[in-house]
Amino acid sequence: MTTAARAGRRIRISGTVQGVGFRPWVYRVAIDAGVTGRVRNDARGVTIEAFGDDDALARFVRALETPPPAAAIEHVDLAPIDVEETDGFHIVRSAPGVDRLVSIPPDLAVCDECVAEIFDPANRRYRYAFTNCTHCGPRFTIAADIPYDRATTTMARFGMCPACLREYGDVHDRRFHAQPNACPICGPRLTLSAAGGVRMPVDDVVRAAAEAIRDGLVVAIKGVGGFHLACDATSETAVRRLRERKRRDEKPLAVMVANLDAASQLAAVDDEARRWLTSPERPIVLVARTPRGPIAESVAPRNRMLGLMLPYSPLHHLLLADAGRPVVMTSANLSDEPIAVDNDEALERLRDVADLFVLHDRDIASRADDSVVAIVAGRGTVVRRSRGFVPRGVQVRRAFARPVLACGALLKNTFCLGAGATAWLGPHIGDLDHLSAYDAYVAAIARMERFLCVRPEIVAYDLHPDYSSTLYAKQRPEAVKIAVQHHHAHVAAVMAEHGIGGPAIGIAYDGAGYGTDGTIWGGELMIATPLSFRRLATFRPLPLLGGDIAVHAPWRIALALVDDAFDGAVPDMVGSLFGVRPDDVDVMQRLLHRNVHWPLARGVGRYFDAFGSLFLREPKASFEGQIALAWNQAADPRVTYRYGFTLDPRSDCIEIDLRTAVREAVADYTEGVSVAAIAAAFHNTIAEATGAVVRRAIADVGSLPIVASGGCFQNGLLAERVASALPAGRSLLLHRVIPPGDGGIALGQAIVADAIARA
Ligand code: ZN
Ligand code: ZN
Ligand code: FE
């Protein structure tokens, strides 16, 4: 090879390329292709300088197109550079501070090669629960500080044995620079404890735990981002026991199955569900359960869907293999508290919940619940974004002028940090009304600020004056505080996801969000830019009889709905539907007509509650949105007819009036039309009304992108029907990687606050 034939290339690669074994892989590819040069991490990803003849460089660049399993290349930038005489190919260690912005990757599901090792009796990691390599294993949850290096993780206290050190130092090894590298000699160990903390000496902790699960006991298991509570998912008694002890009303519990075959036996698993079930993020995937399958009814009472996930740690693989059946794996907490992470904390908080505790000595530095994906209109949509995704950033179209902290909403809270062209959503925190959740929230914000070296200058928060997140925002030290309307934030979040700088026609349907007029909104259509919005339409408001109680007693909303539609002359059948005595109906009606200013709610979610409560004869909801969900699942998708509605022009915006629909649905019911058909017709009515408003907006302002957000758009049928109610050729842009519910709202808050601060 002569010097004259050599050329040089600088290749910049962005995406998920750090902490996933990318640089050693580049090294091996370079050696194979016969190029020399170097690779290093930088603030945006990875930069390679490669030298060689044209053939070698072409081979090298082509090979870079198939990255290791956990990596995701977003962008490749290729430029010629001057040739350097280099000796071999090198991995350049990053200078401290250089790669901070992207230095901590999300947790990755254990890879196939590691799984093969733990099931191979001849391997030194046979049945070792902490097996990992550069392609897999914990990352964010073990990171205590930056940069991401063994010394700053909770693995720091485990000194590597000579065999592990050899792997760690060998660039040709799958464990080259795998920070959590460990083996049974030198790494973390499992222990088994009884409730109360007494250690139980056993030969094999996982086998003992699996036996206990088969015997119907509840076992607390320390996982990757927190503790799980596990029990036999096929045993009604075991699941009931868990539910009673956990005081978890009727919220569905997630189930872990050994593999895709097992998943397919329990539910309808299509290609999209399969793709997500086996993704490195390994979320819980919501799938339609097989009727009369082996799963206990109490796992998801009155619910047609099942939350399934596949094992994502070596411990899970061993446990599921030993248990030989589907296992409930639910976050170990009481009701909506944050997930437990410390051994002592778990032993204390779960002493009356779990019979046995599988503990270990690798600490969890950052809490991360399991993420959840729903299939909406044929595609996976992240509805809870936590383990596996956090702290991966989302690229935004226009860089933030100044660093922003967005505090999120109240329920399903997440926060967001924005700096440069990236927005980072924090882990799922939960319901901020719980004191312990609030503490976890404050700690998680501090940790993410430190990890990402972002010092916010602007604080964005929800317009609701009483949200804990609002109170937190107000006592932050930053000078600039910007309140963002809830539904504007929802719309801005979905616009950001699709790279739309505005204006767009935004649809935001959810349960409740504070409006600029002090009433509760939630059925909003608007023309929005990141800077501002103009309301096009909303839904006719329903009084919440007794205030927030009505959300858990949706029959009260149903009564208000029918009373409004029939002008006070509520048909007799309505009271009897709920098994509520006529006297009680009278009392409620009198309350309704007395001059009390009940809070008015415009949420589409509340219409779902009211219709569902009425026709499914469900007076109460054990958790927010339960009846709305049941009403969605009751619908027969083959039904295409709809009920009447009117678009009522008001001074500020159109009011969508469904009183005709209520009367027609009641008439249908009285005539014996199936509830499945009524539920479908209801969906079609909401969709048609939405389409009608959108058509008017287009006639008015011309063609704009149409985006949809809000918790109601986790409902696949509604999303599909709204999409098909749009004018021909227009598509509905939905969320995919950002949750449509309040878990995604912080992103929108950050975008809006940035626009307002610039203006
Ligand atoms: Zn691996
Ligand atoms: Zn070792
Ligand atoms: Fe919302």
Side-chain angles (χ1 to χ4, degrees):
M1 186 189 319
T2 62
T3 311
R6 285 168 66 85
R9 297 275 186 281
R10 176 174 292 129
I11 306 160
R12 290 205 163 99
I13 302 176
S14 65
T16 307
V17 291
Q18 296 187 6
V20 291
F22 202 82
R23 285 176 303 166
W25 170 76
V26 169
Y27 172 92
R28 289 191 290 270
V29 168
I31 300 294
D32 287 350
V35 302
T36 62
R38 60 188 73 93
V39 55
R40 63 170 184 272
N41 281 346
D42 61 32
R44 299 176 156 271
V46 160
T47 298
I48 304 164
E49 283 154 359
F51 310 101
D53 61 43
D54 285 346
D55 280 358
L57 284 171
R59 264 199 310 279
F60 178 59
V61 171
R62 219 173 19 250
L64 289 178
E65 285 166 11
T66 1
I73 294 180
E74 270 164 26
H75 188 75
V76 179
D77 188 59
L78 200 83
I81 50 169
D82 289 343
V83 178
E84 272 176 44
E85 278 317 312
T86 50
D87 180 20
F89 197 89
H90 304 276
I91 296 175
V92 181
R93 265 196 89 81
S94 28
V98 169
D99 52 356
R100 281 184 162 174
L101 285 182
V102 275
S103 63
I104 300 172
D107 301 290
L108 301 167
V110 59
C111 73
D112 293 346
E113 284 169 286
C114 285
V115 172
E117 288 178 354
I118 62 169
F119 285 107
D120 173 8
N123 193 282
R124 71 188 193 96
R125 290 190 173 85
Y126 178 57
R127 291 188 69 82
Y128 183 54
F130 302 90
T131 302
N132 66 83
C133 71
T134 36
H135 301 145
C136 76
R139 301 282 190 271
F140 173 68
T141 52
I142 57 165
D145 210 336
I146 48 169
Y148 176 70
D149 239 328
R150 186 165 178 112
T152 56
T153 68
T154 58
M155 285 297 293
R157 50 187 282 228
F158 301 97
M160 271 185 265
C161 70
C164 285
L165 262 181
R166 211 175 305 122
E167 294 164 339
Y168 185 85
D170 177 3
V171 75
H172 296 288
D173 196 277
R174 210 172 84 242
R175 298 198 161 90
F176 175 70
H177 281 195
Q179 305 305 349
N181 188 27
C183 79
I185 308 290
C186 65
R189 282 166 205 205
L190 294 173
T191 51
L192 191 68
S193 286
V198 182
R199 274 278 280 279
M200 300 173 69
V202 286
D203 287 342
D204 187 319
V205 171
V206 176
R207 199 161 280 146
E211 252 162 49
I213 288 170
R214 282 205 305 269
D215 288 344
L217 300 184
V218 175
V219 183
I221 300 172
K222 189 177 189 178
V224 172
F227 274 79
H228 278 126
L229 288 167
C231 74
D232 181 350
T234 64
S235 159
E236 189 62 39
T237 326
V239 178
R240 284 228 176 120
R241 185 176 295 141
L242 167 59
R243 218 174 246 296
E244 273 157 28
R245 293 187 190 167
K246 193 177 140 120
R247 282 176 262 149
R248 191 183 169 101
D249 34 59
E250 293 191 338
K251 273 187 201 164
L253 305 169
V255 172
M256 188 175 275
V257 288
N259 49 43
L260 277 177
D261 277 352
S264 305
Q265 283 163 26
L266 302 180
V269 178
D270 62 11
D271 286 348
E272 183 68 359
R274 196 169 295 131
R275 190 170 76 76
W276 278 104
L277 279 168
T278 54
S279 68
E281 294 89 359
R282 230 27 89 87
I284 295 167
V285 181
L286 303 175
V287 281
R289 78 201 271 185
T290 313
R292 290 173 299 280
I295 294 294
E297 176 62 22
S298 296
V299 165
R302 299 185 280 172
N303 200 321
R304 289 192 194 179
M305 305 299 279
L306 196 57
L308 287 185
M309 65 178 149
L310 296 190
Y312 55 84
S313 78
L315 171 58
H316 296 153
H317 278 279
L318 296 169
L319 183 80
L320 267 287
D322 289 350
R325 66 193 64 191
V327 172
V328 166
M329 278 283 193
T330 183
S331 298
N333 52 10
L334 295 177
S335 55
D336 291 318
E337 288 178 351
I339 187 167
V341 290
D342 294 332
N343 291 350
D344 291 343
E345 177 196 11
L347 284 168
E348 172 58 31
R349 271 168 59 188
L350 305 171
R351 61 183 308 136
D352 300 322
V353 183
D355 300 298
L356 274 180
F357 290 77
V358 174
L359 306 172
H360 60 70
D361 48 1
R362 185 178 76 195
D363 289 341
I364 298 169
S366 291
R367 206 176 247 114
D369 283 78
D370 293 317
S371 296
V372 182
V373 164
I375 311 294
V376 176
R379 287 186 55 196
T381 301
V382 179
V383 299
R384 182 163 83 197
R385 194 176 179 282
S386 209
R387 180 192 45 78
F389 293 94
V390 179
R392 191 190 298 162
V394 178
Q395 298 308 303
V396 295
R397 188 170 175 274
R398 181 161 75 157
F400 292 97
R402 286 188 278 164
V404 182
L405 165 69
C407 297
L410 181 70
L411 304 173
K412 305 181 171 99
N413 178 282
T414 59
F415 59 86
C416 177
L417 283 167
T422 310
W424 293 272
L425 283 160
H428 166 85
I429 304 282
D431 179 355
L432 281 193
D433 271 347
H434 285 264
L435 189 62
S436 53
Y438 183 80
D439 291 344
Y441 169 72
V442 174
I445 291 174
R447 189 180 297 113
M448 285 280 275
E449 285 178 332
R450 201 173 75 239
F451 281 7
L452 302 168
C453 296
V454 172
R455 259 171 255 318
E457 293 173 24
I458 298 165
V459 177
Y461 59 97
D462 193 279
L463 204 52
H464 199 300
D466 302 331
Y467 280 179
S468 312
S469 51
T470 301
L471 303 177
Y472 170 78
K474 291 200 167 152
Q475 48 106 64
R476 291 269 314 189
E478 290 79 3
V480 186
K481 310 273 174 70
I482 296 170
V484 181
Q485 200 279 323
H486 190 95
H487 303 94
H488 185 203
H490 271 309
V491 169
V494 63
M495 283 167 64
E497 191 173 324
H498 290 279
I500 298 167
I505 296 171
I507 307 164
Y509 292 169
D510 64 4
Y514 201 79
T516 53
D517 57 3
T519 70
I520 306 166
W521 295 4
E524 309 306 309
L525 288 112
M526 59 178 72
I527 300 214
T529 67
L531 181 64
S532 64
F533 69 97
R534 178 167 66 83
R535 232 169 156 202
L536 294 167
T538 185
F539 278 68
R540 183 178 168 85
L542 297 169
L544 293 182
L545 272 173
D548 283 345
I549 298 169
V551 174
H552 292 278
W555 81 270
R556 293 175 180 224
I557 311 175
L559 182 69
L561 175 87
V562 177
D563 182 89
D564 188 27
F566 287 88
D567 251 338
V570 173
D572 285 344
M573 48 76 71
V574 169
S576 67
L577 281 185
F578 305 121
V580 177
R581 287 178 304 133
D583 284 3
D584 290 343
V585 175
D586 285 350
V587 169
M588 277 301 154
Q589 259 199 296
R590 270 203 300 280
L591 278 175
L592 198 56
H593 293 284
R594 205 186 289 159
N595 228 347
V596 178
H597 290 286
W598 297 113
L600 295 177
R602 299 176 183 275
V604 168
R606 296 289 96 89
Y607 273 90
F608 269 84
D609 279 340
F611 272 80
S613 181
L614 191 58
F615 297 111
L616 298 172
R617 316 178 66 151
E618 298 274 10
K620 290 201 181 87
S622 91
F623 59 92
E624 210 236 346
Q626 183 186 26
I627 304 303
L629 183 69
W631 188 233
N632 163 228
Q633 295 186 358
D636 178 350
R638 292 166 303 184
V639 173
T640 54
Y641 76 91
R642 67 167 177 89
Y643 297 128
F645 61 85
T646 49
L647 300 184
D648 186 7
R650 297 276 165 140
S651 59
D652 48 347
C653 71
I654 293 169
E655 210 167 71
I656 300 169
D657 181 343
L658 296 186
R659 283 179 296 176
T660 312
V662 177
R663 291 190 296 269
E664 290 175 356
V666 168
D668 266 5
Y669 187 84
T670 319
E671 282 162 27
V673 173
S674 77
V675 167
I678 298 173
F682 168 82
H683 281 75
N684 299 338
T685 309
I686 302 268
E688 277 304 321
T690 307
V693 173
V694 170
R695 275 193 296 280
R696 284 194 189 188
I698 290 174
D700 202 21
V701 299
S703 190
L704 294 175
I706 306 160
V707 299
S709 184
C712 293
F713 285 97
Q714 294 178 27
N715 173 337
L717 183 63
L718 182 69
E720 283 165 25
R721 293 290 145 98
V722 169
S724 51
L726 298 180
R730 307 307 310 277
S731 57
L732 183 67
L733 300 174
L734 297 162
H735 282 283
R736 293 303 173 197
V737 297
I738 301 299
D742 287 1
I745 210 164
L747 173 63
Q749 291 175 343
I751 299 281
V752 172
D754 176 66
I756 292 175
R758 286 166 192 265

